[in-house]
Amino acid sequence: MNTGAAPSDKAAAMAGTRLAPAGQDWDAVRVTRFVGLQVIEHLGPGIGPVIMDPAARSMYFLVPPGTTRAWTDLPQCTTLGETNHVVLPPQHKLTPPGPYWLIPAQQPLASAPVLREALETVLGPRPGTTPETPLDLSRLTFDQIRGWNCALCGTRLHRDRSLGTHRSNTGLLTEATELWACAPACP
């Protein structure tokens, strides 16, 4: 059975990376690759340093420390500050395999308000939910959380759309999890 890259390939991909504490020199904003590339397209490459993590299909925008503490309301984003760590690739690593700099670290840190505005523009209103009908995270089933069934109506997904990343203090969603719904809309 083929399980992916050989151990030596995985070691080579991670060579020179280091685990660095967020919240000291910078905070990080983690988004999916899909969202992150749209943000870069919206703002251009002058946004600041960006780390690409191909294995997790995510990107990390680096912003000044402490500037994202109040970002709890932004879907599909996870802010990483004082209690978190981020895998940093070596300064010279600009291509995969493994984590690499999509926009090199020599750039100044991104402006948190500018990044947030771009994220809000890219994300737009979340389809399928309105303030009158919020998503009740406590009622989701395992199949809805795993992305097999629609998080809104519960039917098996054949075509889907992201509802963003959600997290709850209790229940099955204690870690940030991307939820999915029927596309283009629930039946």
Side-chain angles (χ1 to χ4, degrees):
M1 175 164 92
N2 184 359
T3 59
S8 62
D9 292 341
K10 290 180 183 177
M14 296 303 286
T17 60
R18 64 185 176 93
L19 193 60
Q24 294 179 3
D25 297 325
W26 42 262
D27 281 357
V29 178
R30 181 176 59 213
V31 297
T32 64
R33 179 174 46 197
F34 178 76
V35 169
L37 291 174
Q38 290 181 69
V39 167
I40 291 172
E41 184 177 312
H42 183 73
L43 291 176
I47 183 60
V50 178
I51 300 167
M52 181 73 82
D53 183 353
R57 296 183 184 149
S58 58
M59 298 171 66
Y60 297 81
F61 291 87
L62 302 185
V63 297
T67 57
T68 61
R69 285 189 187 119
W71 286 27
T72 58
D73 62 332
L74 199 57
Q76 299 191 48
C77 299
T78 302
T79 58
L80 305 168
E82 297 166 340
T83 61
N84 304 106
H85 288 74
V86 175
V87 174
L88 293 182
Q91 294 290 333
H92 66 278
K93 190 164 187 210
L94 303 176
T95 59
Y100 63 94
W101 293 99
L102 184 64
I103 300 178
Q106 292 77 15
Q107 296 274 334
L109 295 175
S111 162
V114 170
L115 177 60
R116 182 179 173 103
E117 183 177 321
L119 284 164
E120 288 172 342
T121 299
V122 166
L123 294 170
R126 292 188 0 229
T129 61
T130 64
E132 300 83 45
T133 59
L135 193 56
D136 185 355
L137 301 179
S138 67
R139 294 184 162 272
L140 295 177
T141 66
F142 182 75
D143 287 350
Q144 288 172 307
I145 291 170
R146 295 293 297 164
W148 298 326
N149 291 358
C150 176
L152 299 174
C153 70
T155 61
R156 182 62 95 195
L157 289 173
H158 299 286
R159 293 185 57 214
D160 56 27
R161 59 189 161 97
S162 175
L163 292 177
T165 303
H166 298 268
R167 177 179 24 206
S168 175
N169 292 332
T170 60
L172 296 174
L173 281 176
T174 55
E175 293 185 18
T177 303
E178 189 165 17
L179 297 178
W180 299 89
C182 299
C186 294

